[in-house]
Amino acid sequence: MSTTSPADSLVELAARKQLPHHQYTDPATVRWIAANRPVLSDDPPPRLRATSQRLLSRSTIPSGWLAEERCLDSLHGIRHAMRTAALAALLAEAAGLSEDDTATLVLAAAVHDCRRLHDKDDRGHGARAAIWLTDNADTVWSHFGLVATPSRIMAAATAVRLHDLPYDAFSEDDQADHARAEAVCDLLKAADALDRYRLPKLRWWPDPAQVRSEAFSGLRTTAFELVVRSETAWLAGATSAEAVLAGLEQLELTG
């Protein structure tokens, strides 16, 4: 017999180590996130290029791209994917990436978790997503209004494959692949980590020591606010896509 009830928040379940495989935010958890706002810098985010804003307007991936429909609105679903794409664009702007590399990064961020089966430690989901991305490259690049090329596919797939592997767990082959697409790999890892404010334990929140991005710390305020605003909007009845797009507009990152 289950020891949890429908009223249990993710924070309560995490404290008891009883988080289910599919996790959906709830009002109590969002209140807890807001109440634990860390002391962060107030550095303004870099101004997004018009091309980056256009990419973000297309960052809602079709539900049919997901391996598991129950992940659509879960902690690793559409809201996480879109926020990661937005944060990737901001990191790319700060790092001075070219428009082509930024587009590759944003696209990779939008699909990096599409092959997840659940919200727990789904090992291998990055590798599965990389294979799926390679097999469906023309469809994915077309969705973003872009053209797939071998070099872009390689860089995006490599970043997606490595995003869930810690740097110290890289094999020699992983290190060689990472070297061929270093900037895109590093910034996808950093963008994914910046969105960890959605998670129901403080020790799971963003840690600059785990990423390789000079702009990471300066974007934590933006990342935190985007989580709170978009999760609140979703709970108020917006779709996941509407919630993130509204959060981006409120923070004056788009529009």
Side-chain angles (χ1 to χ4, degrees):
M1 180 176 177
S2 173
T3 59
T4 65
S5 73
D8 287 328
S9 71
L10 291 181
V11 173
E12 294 168 325
L13 293 172
R16 300 201 301 266
K17 299 183 178 180
Q18 293 180 333
L19 283 168
H21 273 74
H22 297 97
Q23 301 161 24
Y24 305 91
T25 199
D26 55 84
T29 296
V30 175
R31 289 194 296 271
W32 173 86
I33 293 170
N36 282 281
R37 188 184 195 282
V39 177
L40 300 168
S41 70
D42 291 320
D43 296 344
R47 181 69 179 172
L48 284 174
R49 293 183 290 233
T51 51
S52 294
Q53 294 193 43
R54 284 197 294 272
L55 288 169
L56 294 179
S57 72
R58 300 180 181 221
S59 64
T60 308
I61 65 173
S63 60
W65 292 6
L66 301 182
E68 171 53 68
E69 64 179 359
R70 285 175 292 180
C71 290
L72 181 68
D73 293 318
S74 76
L75 287 193
H76 289 90
I78 297 298
R79 295 190 307 286
H80 169 57
M82 292 179 68
R83 287 193 302 257
T84 303
L87 295 165
L90 290 167
L91 288 166
E93 303 274 341
L97 258 63
S98 69
E99 290 192 357
D100 281 349
D101 284 346
T102 297
T104 298
L105 171 61
V106 170
L107 180 152
V111 302
H112 76 284
D113 275 346
C114 72
R115 296 285 95 185
R116 265 189 172 274
L117 301 177
H118 54 75
D119 292 300
K120 300 190 83 171
D121 185 16
D122 185 8
R123 294 188 179 183
H125 71 272
R128 296 195 300 269
I131 293 170
W132 180 90
L133 176 58
T134 302
D135 289 345
N136 294 276
D138 287 339
T139 298
V140 176
W141 264 260
S142 178
H143 175 81
F144 282 87
L146 302 169
V147 176
T149 66
S151 62
R152 292 170 182 172
I153 295 169
M154 179 279 295
T158 299
V160 169
R161 184 178 75 79
L162 296 177
H163 87 268
D164 61 337
L165 292 177
Y167 286 108
D168 59 9
F170 280 9
S171 66
E172 288 188 9
D173 287 343
D174 295 335
Q175 292 172 7
D177 287 346
H178 171 265
R180 286 191 286 269
E182 184 173 357
V184 176
C185 289
D186 288 347
L187 296 187
L188 177 55
K189 281 180 167 291
D192 191 25
L194 275 171
D195 196 48
R196 293 178 70 86
Y197 290 114
R198 75 196 191 285
L199 302 179
K201 269 193 178 182
L202 293 178
R203 67 181 181 87
W204 295 340
W205 282 14
D207 180 2
Q210 302 301 315
V211 300
R212 299 176 182 177
S213 167
E214 292 182 3
F216 183 89
S217 292
L219 285 172
R220 285 186 291 174
T221 296
T222 299
F224 181 87
E225 292 295 337
L226 187 54
V227 164
V228 172
R229 291 167 191 248
S230 56
E231 294 299 290
T232 299
W234 182 70
L235 288 171
T239 66
S240 282
E242 291 169 346
V244 176
L245 292 173
L248 292 172
E249 288 187 8
Q250 290 168 12
L251 294 171
E252 299 183 347
L253 296 174
T254 60

